[in-house]
Amino acid sequence: HFDHNISPTIGASFMTKTVPCGNELHKFLIWDTAGQERFHSLAPMYYRGSAAAVIVYDITKQDSFHTLKKWVKELKEHGPENIVMAIAGNKCDLSDIREVPVKDAKEYAESIGAIVVETSAKNAVNIEELFQGISRQIPPLDPHENSNNGAIKLGKQTSQTGRRCC
Amino acid sequence: MCTAEATASLLQVEETFSACLARINTLILKPLLQAGSDQKGKENFKLFLLLNDRFQALWNLTEENYCMLKQKHSSSESFCIQDIYAHHKTVLKQFLTDFTSETSMSLALYTVLHKPIRDHIEHYILLLTKLNEVLKEGPEKDVVTSAIKEYVKLESFVSQVLDEACFTKSLWKSLSYKFTDMLCVPERRLLEDSKNLPISASTNRSDRILLFDDVLVLIQGNSFQSFDLKLVWVDENLSLFGSYYVFFTVGPAILFLCPQAVWQWKLNQAVRQALNGKRDFPLWGKTGEGTKPPSCRFFTYVFRLEGKFKNTSYEGEWHWGKPHGKGTLKWHDGRNHVGDFKEGLEHGFGICLVPRKSEDRYDCYKCHWYEGKMRGYGICEYGNDMVYKGYFKDNVRQGFGILENFSAEHPFKYSGQWENDKKNGYGVWEDKDRGERYIGTWLDDHKHGQGIVVTQSGVCYQRTFHADKMVGSGILLLEDDSVYEGNFTEDLTFVGKGKLSFANGFILEGTFTNKSGQGLQTHGILNTSNEQLDDRITKVQLGLEEFPVEKRWKGIYDQFLEFIHSGCKEETEESFTGFHIQTSKELRKSQEYLFCQKYEGTEDVSWKTEDILEELVQHQELESLQSYLEKALKSSLHPLGKLLKALTIAFQATYSGIGANRHLLTMAQEEVKYYAKKIWEFYQGLLHLALEQKGQLPSKCMDEDTSDEKACSVVLPLILPCFYPELFMLYMLYHEREDDLYCQGIVDLSLFPDIKLLEFLDVQKHLWPLKDLTLTTNQRRSLIKDKCFLSATECLQKLITTVDPREKLVILQKTYEEIESTVSRVVEKDYRLPMDDLLPLLMYVVSRAKIQHLGAEIHLIRDLMDPANRGGLYDFLLTALEVRKCFQQRQLEVAVAFLE
């Protein structure tokens, strides 16, 4: 479904997405955060109240995988309790110039108890699976805290500028 | 007999009658008149003079008629008899109404005076009957027939009047001197006597009952009781023992047992005639005929019997022996009650003036009464310049109320709960002299329990009070962000053990003494190792645990709840929900208000309770509900509008003026949200009732979660404008320091030319809207200011002109769209901004919009926005704005350095 040119829906800093999960529909409210280092200190404002976080790295850049680890650490320390974490290795369509091995990502994800998927935003590979995976792990609604008729707020983190996913 | 013959015989009759009258005049009346001029019985002589006048008038009339008849007879054969009879009839009737009233003349005189007239009337009837026989059907015959009827009536009237006179005369003769002395008045006539028509009364075992034309007399032994007929009501009851009659008058009801209905009928007729002020014509119709007297009457009466109303005089409407309807009650001591009565007691709206014991002044109560006691909403203007506006119960202040002292000496205002005429429960006291406000609990007119005091200078403290005295230690929050915990006096001097934390983190712990003239002295330890006090201490929010929002202003909610529980009756609406007062001027007119139309408001919509309930049912769909609620909440007549008004007053009493203190923000914010919740609850209550009354069961029971949400999304935006000035002031105070810092930053950034600022904020170069910069010859591109993203900037500036968080969020979204469309124009394609691009741009726009109290705005929106927006686009944008603001503070120094 994705054009080589950036589609208008890609890149927006706020999106919604509805994912079927069993008998329920989960509505994701997806927030983009600034990945630039200078905005790093402001990130807590973005992930407060989030139910899940998607942290994206570029499989063709080892650096981005390191940055990802910093985000994970931060979320573990300051993020909401019970936040569902997912690691997305983007640009899997460019696996011929891969720098981050699948094995590394899998092992790391296991160690932190996160979902791991390799995706391609360009070719829409595994995007649906990623959100389905998150859906399954999201705990049942706490009626007191949530008021969004079954919707769950999600924080989505991009680890690097220019790395986008939806 | 033809018309001519009839006229001829009529002429003859008139002539004879006239002659007869002339004879009576010369032979009887004239001598009597001469003899009577020096008579001692003035009363009787007066009546005789009246008789004489009437006689003369009758004679004159007869003469006149005779002359006229004669003339007509000679000149014309066909004249119109209608004129004559019509004339005759009315005049005769008129002066025969109370013709015979002499009491002590001899029988002969009596006969002489009435015999010719009776005979004359008989002649008339005879003549007319004859005439009637020869006339054909037609208008003329009708006139004659009705004339005959009138004459027959006149005839029976005359005989009835004479009978009554005889009857009365013989009564006076038969009664003992003691009674006649009291009862005998020349005009009084006896209508019925229990000796003639047996009846017995249940109370007092009366020996005899006399019915006069103005009073009813019960005789028992040597004493008697008389009752004004105007105050007698006759009620028919049927029981196992046959029918009996109860008659009511002021005091206990009296029961009559009577085998016949005649007494009841006679009593009723007598009462009706007494009320009309004149007798019927003829005096009595057939038994059982005639209308009953009205049960509601207007009358003045002085209560003599023991009881609440002893020695009071009541002027007003009566019903079955009791004041009922509108009336005025006056006490001997000058107390005065004007208003509605029901079954003998004050009930409904009334205005009562009570003189003060020592001064020549009055307490004026404008209030609702219930079964003789004040209950419901009222206003009391006390003689000592105090005014109470609020609820009463059992004659004392109870529930929510505001007491204000307007006198120059010690002015104050109390808004809060009352029990048993005293301040009890949660209330706010403002001491205008000291410039202090106490927010807390009361017990029997004393500050008692937890309390917060805010002062004019901005200092505020929380203490425990015991009978107006402060006990234990408290927390004192000073303007410079330092906090003192310990014991201190009302003048805010520290005494005894305490801990003083300065804003810079220094902590002084010790024992403080304060001798006059020697300044503050202390023995203690100063700890300088701490870091700066954080917001949790300097911005501590007071009153949240001590005064849970559900316990504040309960008195207001209770009344509305009771109103709904009582079924929302139109007549009780005002006593529960307060008066409809649009302006204070109108209040002064409340005296007039008593008797004028209540719902003549300036609004063109009807706010009668029944209409309100009907409208509620019709406006259940969200959109129409919103517009309906908006209208209702704005109206000063709708119960919900009144509730909002009351809450606004309570809110302002707490948080306006001195109450604008940052330590009260959360209290205020919670309170506004709770108002919305309560208003929604009352709306639901009203709707439930309306549906019930229509026989429809409410479709579904809303669970509490959705109800809270609705309150927030539907009601809160509608009521927020009422509380916005005070609430926003609190937000501004709370965020004062960081907003000031931020403002300084904005001022610094405003020195940046557009391009410099874009560069500084790291906006990617390909997004710079350089096309927007049109240069004149002597301008340099790099120095242009306030041109880029102008549309977005202007859009964001509208934020301060709105109140509703919903609208503010829409403005935010539009700003975002403006930025995006500007960028799209620049890059010449649809462009969605990722966060890394959006943030710098948003920073740019916010810096240029120069919103002074951005922190206050953001927090107000976040606290009060519809929770349904949480996590959505609005929330996202708001967070972006917040991020931007925080970010700027941190980057301030860098910015200045960059500029240089």
Side-chain angles (χ1 to χ4, degrees), chain B residues 634-665:
Chain B
K634 273 187 189 151
S635 160
S636 52
L637 286 168
H638 195 287
L640 291 177
K642 286 185 176 181
L643 173 61
L644 179 61
K645 183 98 196 151
L647 292 173
T648 311
I649 289 169
F651 188 81
Q652 285 173 351
T654 323
Y655 306 108
S656 77
I658 307 172
N661 191 301
R662 63 167 189 252
H663 301 290
L664 301 180
L665 171 66

Side-chain angles (χ1 to χ4, degrees), chain B residues 15-26:
Chain B
E15 199 179 349
T16 328
F17 185 51
S18 180
C20 175
L21 289 179
R23 266 173 49 129
I24 294 172
N25 189 40
T26 39

